[in-house]
Amino acid sequence: MLTSRKLEDLSPAVQARARAFLGACAAQGLDVLVTCTLRDYEAQAALFAQGRTAPGPIVTNARPGESWHQFGCALDVVPLRNGKPVWGTKGADGTLWALIGDIGQEHGLEWAGRWSHFREMPHFQHIGGLTLEQARAGKRPV
């Protein structure tokens, strides 16, 4: 099972946006940790099972082959405060996530924290207008 945190595992277009995003966060004094970039089918299956057939809360609606992580087009992050992850989304924590989301969007990343269905605060992606079918066929965004 493969789950990577390396920016080098992202497609070149996504990697460039991710580097600019993380650099802008750092320039504003925000400490952001990358928790996932590339994820293989087995790791995606395990995440999808969570909260369904495996213990834990549901954290994704993407089945294997449906996650942009599997094609190097997505990254998950978490802000750190005093070296500790900020997973909360209310009050000051929510303001922090919104700021990070805005920075990601300014650098050409779609932020799942703005999705109307199944919001995912840590998730950022750049798909460049591609469909999952095109990604499965080997195309990557530019």
Side-chain angles (χ1 to χ4, degrees), residues 79 81 85-100 121:
R81 186 181 293 127
V86 177
W87 294 111
T89 59
K90 307 282 186 220
D93 294 348
T95 302
L96 177 59
W97 276 108
L99 177 58
I100 290 168
M121 304 304 264

Side-chain angles (χ1 to χ4, degrees), residues 18-33:
R19 288 188 188 286
F21 159 55
L22 295 169
C25 287
Q28 291 195 33
L30 301 171
D31 193 6
V32 177
L33 174 70

